[in-house]
Amino acid sequence: ELTNIISKTIYMESNIGAIVMCWSVGALLSFLRIFSGWWYVKRLRRKAVLLGGKWNSQVQLLAASLHIQKFISLAESSFIHTPVVIGHLRPMILFPLGMCSGLSVEQIESIIIHELIHIKRNDYLVNVIQSFMEVIYFFNPFVWMISGVIRQEREYCCDDAVVKFYGNPLAYVRALATL
């Protein structure tokens, strides 16, 4: 047993340069994946079409009722297929182009509340930390599996909070089914 441990140690010490090089290349590729996502989000923000008027003021009212102090802009984008929140310091709720015309007022409000809850829970910062851990432990498949579960659970938490806050689960379910 002791000779087995010693031989593994010798093997690791003699190949440490190759091991570090492989980890560095993998971490760099993982970081580039994260960076390209960040660049894509910046592009989404630049190309988004801001919505004004009634919906923008409605977002601010809903944010205030959730005790969110930040100004949150509402915009449409032809580059996405589901509603998303981008940014932390200047959050923006992005809707797919034309989504507002296909849903009722109650359904749109429930989706806005879902996205506002992401902002209230600081899910953007949690996602940044989670992405950092994915870069460091890119080689571990369990990190990727747990990360997927965490992302799904964040969505479930926001869904539960919408139903609790909004009190109209039927409108929310219909909005999700329409999307």
Side-chain angles (χ1 to χ4, degrees), residues 90-122:
R90 295 180 301 131
M92 176 185 282
I93 298 174
L94 277 179
F95 280 170
L97 192 63
M99 186 190 90
C100 292
S101 63
L103 298 173
S104 70
V105 171
E106 292 83 16
Q107 291 172 331
I108 294 171
E109 282 182 354
S110 65
I111 291 170
I112 290 172
I113 291 169
H114 175 98
E115 302 304 328
L116 287 172
I117 291 170
H118 278 298
I119 295 168
K120 182 175 178 66
R121 291 170 31 97
N122 292 313

Side-chain angles (χ1 to χ4, degrees), residues 25-98:
V25 168
L28 178 65
L29 292 174
S30 293
F31 178 76
L32 288 175
R33 181 185 64 85
I34 301 291
F35 181 76
S36 68
W38 174 79
W39 181 79
Y40 180 71
V41 167
K42 295 287 272 184
R43 185 172 165 238
L44 280 177
R45 182 180 284 277
R46 277 194 314 268
K47 301 238 180 206
V49 177
L50 291 173
L51 297 176
K54 176 187 146 197
W55 282 116
N56 213 1
S57 60
Q58 186 65 18
V59 167
Q60 304 318 314
L61 286 173
L62 290 169
S65 67
L66 286 167
H67 307 292
I68 299 172
Q69 303 298 323
K70 300 176 183 177
F71 177 81
I72 298 147
S73 53
L74 183 64
E76 285 186 313
S77 175
S78 61
F79 298 104
I80 60 169
H81 302 290
T82 59
V84 295
V85 172
I86 59 173
H88 178 70
L89 298 175
R90 295 180 301 131
M92 176 185 282
I93 298 174
L94 277 179
F95 280 170
L97 192 63

